[in-house]
Amino acid sequence: MVQKPTLFTRSLYSGPARPPRRPAAVFRLTDDAGDPSRYPHAKLVHIAAMARHSAICAARDLGWSDDAVNHLVRGMRDPAASPHEQFSYLPLPSIGHEHADAMVRNVMIAAPLGKEEKLEELAERLNGISLEPLPASQCAEFGSAPPQLERFQPTPRHFIRRSYLASSTLWRTVTPVILDGHSRKASNDKPEAVARATEALVQKALARAGIGTACTFTWQAEPFLKNCLSAYSHDRACRPVGYIRPKHLSGRTSVHVELRFETPVCGPLAIGAGRHCGLGLFAAQEPTPC
Protein backbone atom coordinates (compact mmCIF):
# COMPACT_ATOMS: atom_id res chain seq x y z
CA MET A 1 0.00 0.00 0.00
CA VAL A 2 1.38 3.42 -0.95
CA GLN A 3 2.25 5.60 2.04
CA LYS A 4 0.51 8.97 2.11
CA PRO A 5 2.70 12.07 2.44
CA THR A 6 3.39 13.20 5.99
CA LEU A 7 5.72 16.10 5.31
CA PHE A 8 4.95 19.34 3.52
CA THR A 9 7.11 22.43 3.38
CA ARG A 10 7.24 25.74 1.57
CA SER A 11 10.42 27.43 0.37
CA LEU A 12 11.49 30.54 -1.54
CA TYR A 13 13.55 30.30 -4.71
CA SER A 14 14.50 33.40 -6.66
CA GLY A 15 16.67 34.30 -9.62
CA PRO A 16 17.62 37.28 -11.75
CA ALA A 17 15.48 36.90 -14.85
CA ARG A 18 12.18 35.66 -16.23
CA PRO A 19 12.75 32.80 -18.69
CA PRO A 20 11.23 33.31 -22.15
CA ARG A 21 9.04 30.64 -23.71
CA ARG A 22 10.79 27.68 -25.34
CA PRO A 23 9.86 26.94 -28.96
CA ALA A 24 7.78 23.77 -29.28
CA ALA A 25 6.14 21.55 -31.91
CA VAL A 26 3.04 19.49 -31.04
CA PHE A 27 1.98 16.19 -32.63
CA ARG A 28 -1.07 13.94 -32.36
CA LEU A 29 -0.66 10.19 -32.13
CA THR A 30 -2.88 8.64 -34.83
CA ASP A 31 -3.47 5.19 -36.28
CA ASP A 32 -3.38 4.21 -39.96
CA ALA A 33 -6.94 5.48 -40.43
CA GLY A 34 -6.09 8.86 -38.93
CA ASP A 35 -8.02 8.19 -35.72
CA PRO A 36 -6.52 9.12 -32.33
CA SER A 37 -4.16 6.61 -30.77
CA ARG A 38 -3.42 6.49 -27.05
CA TYR A 39 -0.75 5.10 -24.75
CA PRO A 40 -0.75 4.45 -20.96
CA HIS A 41 0.59 7.49 -19.15
CA ALA A 42 2.48 5.29 -16.67
CA LYS A 43 4.64 4.23 -19.64
CA LEU A 44 4.98 7.64 -21.27
CA VAL A 45 8.79 7.39 -21.31
CA HIS A 46 8.31 4.81 -24.09
CA ILE A 47 6.69 7.48 -26.27
CA ALA A 48 9.51 9.88 -25.42
CA ALA A 49 12.09 7.26 -26.43
CA MET A 50 10.29 6.50 -29.70
CA ALA A 51 10.00 10.21 -30.56
CA ARG A 52 13.68 10.72 -29.78
CA HIS A 53 14.67 7.75 -31.95
CA SER A 54 12.56 9.08 -34.83
CA ALA A 55 14.08 12.55 -34.40
CA ILE A 56 17.60 11.13 -34.58
CA CYS A 57 16.78 9.30 -37.81
CA ALA A 58 15.08 12.39 -39.27
CA ALA A 59 18.02 14.66 -38.41
CA ARG A 60 20.42 12.28 -40.12
CA ASP A 61 18.17 12.16 -43.20
CA LEU A 62 18.21 15.96 -43.24
CA GLY A 63 22.00 15.91 -43.37
CA TRP A 64 22.57 17.48 -39.96
CA SER A 65 26.12 17.30 -38.64
CA ASP A 66 27.12 14.53 -36.26
CA ASP A 67 27.59 17.20 -33.59
CA ALA A 68 24.01 18.46 -33.99
CA VAL A 69 22.57 14.93 -34.05
CA ASN A 70 24.53 13.70 -31.06
CA HIS A 71 24.22 16.72 -28.78
CA LEU A 72 21.10 18.65 -29.79
CA VAL A 73 18.84 15.77 -30.87
CA ARG A 74 20.19 12.75 -29.00
CA GLY A 75 21.12 14.68 -25.86
CA MET A 76 24.72 13.53 -25.40
CA ARG A 77 26.64 16.03 -23.30
CA ASP A 78 29.45 17.95 -24.94
CA PRO A 79 32.18 18.84 -22.37
CA ALA A 80 33.21 21.78 -24.58
CA ALA A 81 29.70 23.27 -24.72
CA SER A 82 28.35 25.49 -21.94
CA PRO A 83 25.51 25.44 -21.25
CA HIS A 84 24.38 22.07 -22.56
CA GLU A 85 21.43 22.32 -24.99
CA GLN A 86 19.13 19.58 -26.27
CA PHE A 87 15.62 18.88 -27.47
CA SER A 88 13.06 17.62 -24.96
CA TYR A 89 10.56 14.89 -25.92
CA LEU A 90 7.44 15.44 -23.82
CA PRO A 91 4.46 13.06 -24.00
CA LEU A 92 1.37 15.01 -22.92
CA PRO A 93 -1.16 13.25 -20.64
CA SER A 94 -4.74 14.31 -21.35
CA ILE A 95 -5.79 16.57 -18.46
CA GLY A 96 -7.82 19.71 -17.86
CA HIS A 97 -11.44 18.53 -17.64
CA GLU A 98 -13.45 16.29 -15.31
CA HIS A 99 -13.47 13.29 -17.64
CA ALA A 100 -9.77 13.48 -18.56
CA ASP A 101 -8.08 10.09 -18.23
CA ALA A 102 -4.43 11.24 -18.39
CA MET A 103 -3.73 8.88 -21.29
CA VAL A 104 -1.08 10.01 -23.78
CA ARG A 105 -2.52 11.03 -27.16
CA ASN A 106 -0.06 13.79 -28.00
CA VAL A 107 3.66 14.46 -27.81
CA MET A 108 5.58 17.72 -27.85
CA ILE A 109 9.16 18.41 -28.88
CA ALA A 110 10.56 21.48 -27.13
CA ALA A 111 13.78 23.11 -28.32
CA PRO A 112 16.37 25.32 -26.62
CA LEU A 113 16.02 29.05 -27.18
CA GLY A 114 17.53 30.09 -30.48
CA LYS A 115 16.92 26.71 -32.13
CA GLU A 116 13.55 27.58 -33.68
CA GLU A 117 14.71 26.96 -37.27
CA LYS A 118 16.21 23.58 -36.38
CA LEU A 119 13.00 22.57 -34.59
CA GLU A 120 10.83 23.67 -37.53
CA GLU A 121 12.96 21.71 -40.00
CA LEU A 122 12.86 18.60 -37.83
CA ALA A 123 9.11 18.89 -37.11
CA GLU A 124 8.25 19.08 -40.80
CA ARG A 125 10.32 15.97 -41.41
CA LEU A 126 8.60 14.07 -38.58
CA ASN A 127 5.08 14.98 -39.69
CA GLY A 128 3.37 11.80 -40.93
CA ILE A 129 6.05 9.30 -39.91
CA SER A 130 5.29 6.20 -37.82
CA LEU A 131 6.95 5.73 -34.45
CA GLU A 132 9.15 2.68 -34.19
CA PRO A 133 8.56 0.73 -30.95
CA LEU A 134 11.67 0.21 -28.83
CA PRO A 135 11.63 -2.67 -28.06
CA ALA A 136 9.15 -4.27 -30.44
CA SER A 137 7.09 -5.63 -27.52
CA GLN A 138 5.80 -2.09 -26.89
CA CYS A 139 3.81 -2.38 -30.12
CA ALA A 140 1.25 -4.44 -28.18
CA GLU A 141 0.17 -1.27 -26.37
CA PHE A 142 -1.01 0.19 -29.70
CA GLY A 143 -2.89 -2.86 -30.93
CA SER A 144 -2.10 -3.69 -34.56
CA ALA A 145 0.47 -0.99 -35.36
CA PRO A 146 2.46 1.84 -33.79
CA PRO A 147 1.05 5.36 -34.14
CA GLN A 148 1.94 8.04 -36.63
CA LEU A 149 2.90 11.60 -35.76
CA GLU A 150 0.55 14.27 -37.08
CA ARG A 151 1.66 17.82 -36.45
CA PHE A 152 -0.98 20.38 -35.48
CA GLN A 153 -1.42 23.75 -33.81
CA PRO A 154 -3.60 23.53 -30.66
CA THR A 155 -6.40 26.09 -30.56
CA PRO A 156 -6.62 28.52 -27.63
CA ARG A 157 -9.31 26.31 -26.01
CA HIS A 158 -7.43 23.05 -26.52
CA PHE A 159 -6.17 21.49 -23.29
CA ILE A 160 -2.58 21.52 -24.58
CA ARG A 161 -2.71 25.28 -25.04
CA ARG A 162 -4.42 25.84 -21.67
CA SER A 163 -2.41 23.37 -19.62
CA TYR A 164 1.01 23.08 -21.20
CA LEU A 165 1.56 26.20 -23.34
CA ALA A 166 -0.18 28.88 -21.31
CA SER A 167 1.21 31.61 -19.10
CA SER A 168 0.61 31.30 -15.36
CA THR A 169 1.98 32.13 -11.94
CA LEU A 170 0.82 28.75 -10.58
CA TRP A 171 2.11 25.44 -11.98
CA ARG A 172 1.70 21.87 -10.69
CA THR A 173 3.36 18.68 -11.80
CA VAL A 174 1.55 16.24 -14.04
CA THR A 175 4.43 13.78 -13.75
CA PRO A 176 6.79 13.79 -10.74
CA VAL A 177 10.10 15.62 -10.73
CA ILE A 178 13.08 13.25 -10.63
CA LEU A 179 15.59 14.91 -8.30
CA ASP A 180 19.29 14.89 -9.05
CA GLY A 181 20.21 13.12 -5.82
CA HIS A 182 18.66 11.62 -2.69
CA SER A 183 16.81 13.53 0.02
CA ARG A 184 17.15 10.70 2.54
CA LYS A 185 20.46 9.11 3.53
CA ALA A 186 19.08 6.68 6.11
CA SER A 187 15.69 5.37 7.18
CA ASN A 188 15.97 7.18 10.52
CA ASP A 189 16.71 10.62 9.08
CA LYS A 190 14.79 13.37 10.83
CA PRO A 191 11.96 15.01 8.83
CA GLU A 192 13.66 18.40 9.11
CA ALA A 193 16.84 17.06 7.50
CA VAL A 194 14.86 15.39 4.70
CA ALA A 195 12.96 18.65 4.10
CA ARG A 196 16.18 20.65 3.85
CA ALA A 197 17.70 18.14 1.43
CA THR A 198 14.57 18.04 -0.72
CA GLU A 199 14.43 21.84 -0.81
CA ALA A 200 18.03 22.03 -2.00
CA LEU A 201 17.41 19.41 -4.71
CA VAL A 202 14.29 21.20 -6.01
CA GLN A 203 16.27 24.46 -6.12
CA LYS A 204 18.98 22.64 -8.09
CA ALA A 205 16.38 21.27 -10.52
CA LEU A 206 14.99 24.77 -11.09
CA ALA A 207 18.43 26.20 -11.72
CA ARG A 208 19.45 23.41 -14.11
CA ALA A 209 16.25 23.94 -16.09
CA GLY A 210 17.06 27.64 -16.41
CA ILE A 211 14.15 28.82 -14.26
CA GLY A 212 15.24 32.15 -12.81
CA THR A 213 11.87 33.75 -12.00
CA ALA A 214 11.31 34.19 -8.28
CA CYS A 215 8.97 31.56 -6.88
CA THR A 216 7.90 29.62 -3.84
CA PHE A 217 7.33 25.89 -3.99
CA THR A 218 5.82 23.00 -2.10
CA TRP A 219 6.19 19.28 -2.67
CA GLN A 220 4.46 16.01 -1.82
CA ALA A 221 4.40 12.38 -2.90
CA GLU A 222 0.79 12.23 -4.04
CA PRO A 223 -0.28 13.76 -7.37
CA PHE A 224 -2.02 17.14 -7.52
CA LEU A 225 -4.08 16.24 -10.60
CA LYS A 226 -6.81 13.67 -11.20
CA ASN A 227 -5.74 10.28 -12.62
CA CYS A 228 -2.05 11.11 -12.37
CA LEU A 229 0.23 8.78 -10.41
CA SER A 230 2.20 8.94 -7.19
CA ALA A 231 5.86 9.95 -7.08
CA TYR A 232 6.70 6.63 -5.43
CA SER A 233 8.49 4.09 -7.61
CA HIS A 234 7.66 1.08 -5.35
CA ASP A 235 5.09 0.25 -2.70
CA ARG A 236 5.79 -1.25 0.72
CA ALA A 237 5.94 -4.73 -0.79
CA CYS A 238 8.64 -3.49 -3.22
CA ARG A 239 6.29 -3.82 -6.18
CA PRO A 240 6.75 -1.25 -8.96
CA VAL A 241 4.18 1.57 -8.93
CA GLY A 242 3.92 4.98 -10.52
CA TYR A 243 5.68 5.98 -13.71
CA ILE A 244 8.19 3.80 -15.49
CA ARG A 245 11.59 5.46 -15.56
CA PRO A 246 14.64 5.09 -17.77
CA LYS A 247 17.32 2.92 -16.14
CA HIS A 248 19.62 5.86 -15.47
CA LEU A 249 16.87 7.52 -13.37
CA SER A 250 15.83 4.49 -11.34
CA GLY A 251 16.36 4.76 -7.60
CA ARG A 252 16.37 8.56 -7.48
CA THR A 253 14.10 10.54 -5.21
CA SER A 254 11.03 11.98 -6.94
CA VAL A 255 8.33 14.39 -5.77
CA HIS A 256 5.28 16.18 -7.09
CA VAL A 257 5.89 19.94 -6.96
CA GLU A 258 3.77 23.09 -6.96
CA LEU A 259 5.47 26.28 -8.15
CA ARG A 260 4.05 29.75 -7.50
CA PHE A 261 5.92 32.47 -9.37
CA GLU A 262 5.95 36.19 -8.62
CA THR A 263 5.34 36.94 -12.32
CA PRO A 264 3.73 34.72 -15.00
CA VAL A 265 5.89 32.09 -16.69
CA CYS A 266 5.12 30.58 -20.10
CA GLY A 267 5.08 26.84 -20.78
CA PRO A 268 6.25 24.32 -21.68
CA LEU A 269 7.70 23.85 -18.20
CA ALA A 270 9.63 20.76 -17.08
CA ILE A 271 12.37 20.39 -14.48
CA GLY A 272 14.44 17.60 -12.92
CA ALA A 273 16.65 14.83 -14.22
CA GLY A 274 13.81 13.46 -16.40
CA ARG A 275 12.77 16.78 -17.93
CA HIS A 276 13.81 15.74 -21.45
CA CYS A 277 11.71 12.54 -21.46
CA GLY A 278 8.38 13.64 -19.98
CA LEU A 279 9.06 13.42 -16.23
CA GLY A 280 8.85 16.60 -14.17
CA LEU A 281 6.27 18.07 -16.58
CA PHE A 282 4.06 20.88 -15.23
CA ALA A 283 0.57 22.13 -16.08
CA ALA A 284 -0.67 25.71 -15.65
CA GLN A 285 -3.37 26.07 -12.99
CA GLU A 286 -4.42 29.69 -13.62
CA PRO A 287 -3.76 29.92 -17.36
CA THR A 288 -3.71 33.02 -19.50
CA PRO A 289 -2.63 33.22 -23.17
CA CYS A 290 1.12 33.21 -23.66
Side-chain angles (χ1 to χ4, degrees):
M1 192 172 178
V2 177
Q3 182 180 359
K4 293 185 177 180
T6 57
L7 177 66
F8 299 84
T9 193
R10 187 172 180 83
S11 179
L12 176 67
Y13 176 80
S14 62
R18 173 182 175 178
R21 175 176 171 175
R22 294 178 67 188
V26 181
F27 302 85
R28 293 188 185 94
L29 302 180
T30 65
D31 60 21
D32 291 338
D35 295 324
S37 181
R38 65 180 187 175
Y39 200 80
H41 65 121
K43 302 179 181 180
L44 55 77
V45 294
H46 294 166
I47 296 293
M50 294 180 212
R52 175 177 173 269
H53 174 74
S54 295
I56 292 170
C57 295
R60 286 173 175 162
D61 291 342
L62 289 166
W64 289 14
S65 67
D66 290 343
D67 183 72
V69 172
N70 288 331
H71 303 307
L72 184 61
V73 182
R74 178 175 285 170
M76 295 174 60
R77 292 196 170 271
D78 181 1
S82 181
H84 172 69
E85 294 182 326
Q86 70 179 87
F87 288 142
S88 301
Y89 306 95
L90 306 174
L92 304 176
S94 297
I95 59 173
H97 57 85
E98 62 177 329
H99 300 298
D101 57 9
M103 295 286 281
V104 174
R105 298 175 177 85
N106 305 273
V107 62
M108 177 192 303
I109 302 179
L113 296 174
K115 302 297 181 182
E116 292 87 347
E117 292 184 3
K118 284 288 190 183
L119 175 63
E120 183 63 25
E121 185 180 15
L122 185 69
E124 286 302 308
R125 186 75 175 193
L126 290 173
N127 189 27
I129 65 99
S130 294
L131 294 178
E132 180 180 339
L134 301 171
S137 61
Q138 292 173 9
C139 191
E141 297 287 356
F142 302 116
S144 59
Q148 297 178 350
L149 295 179
E150 178 188 321
R151 191 180 183 189
F152 76 106
Q153 293 291 339
T155 64
R157 293 187 177 184
H158 196 283
F159 83 91
I160 293 177
R161 181 68 63 182
R162 290 184 289 104
S163 295
Y164 297 115
L165 294 174
S167 173
S168 181
T169 56
L170 180 62
W171 293 81
R172 290 173 179 155
T173 44
V174 180
T175 56
V177 175
I178 309 297
L179 299 177
D180 195 9
H182 297 279
S183 61
R184 185 184 295 273
K185 296 181 179 179
S187 59
N188 60 349
D189 283 351
K190 294 183 178 180
E192 295 81 4
V194 175
R196 288 194 300 269
T198 304
E199 176 185 342
L201 290 171
V202 173
Q203 289 176 344
K204 181 178 180 180
L206 286 163
R208 292 191 67 179
I211 308 299
T213 304
C215 71
T216 57
F217 59 83
T218 62
W219 67 83
Q220 62 188 52
E222 296 304 315
F224 293 103
L225 305 180
K226 179 182 177 182
N227 290 328
C228 293
L229 303 180
S230 165
Y232 293 113
S233 59
H234 292 81
D235 62 16
R236 290 184 175 181
C238 295
R239 294 171 298 192
V241 295
Y243 294 93
I244 292 176
R245 308 181 189 184
K247 289 183 179 180
H248 69 283
L249 298 180
S250 62
R252 297 195 186 191
T253 298
S254 64
V255 289
H256 279 286
V257 178
E258 177 185 272
L259 299 172
R260 186 176 290 276
F261 294 96
E262 292 185 358
T263 57
V265 170
C266 288
L269 182 60
I271 70 172
R275 66 188 181 279
H276 299 302
C277 65
L279 297 170
L281 178 66
F282 285 76
Q285 301 304 299
E286 299 170 354
T288 58
C290 189

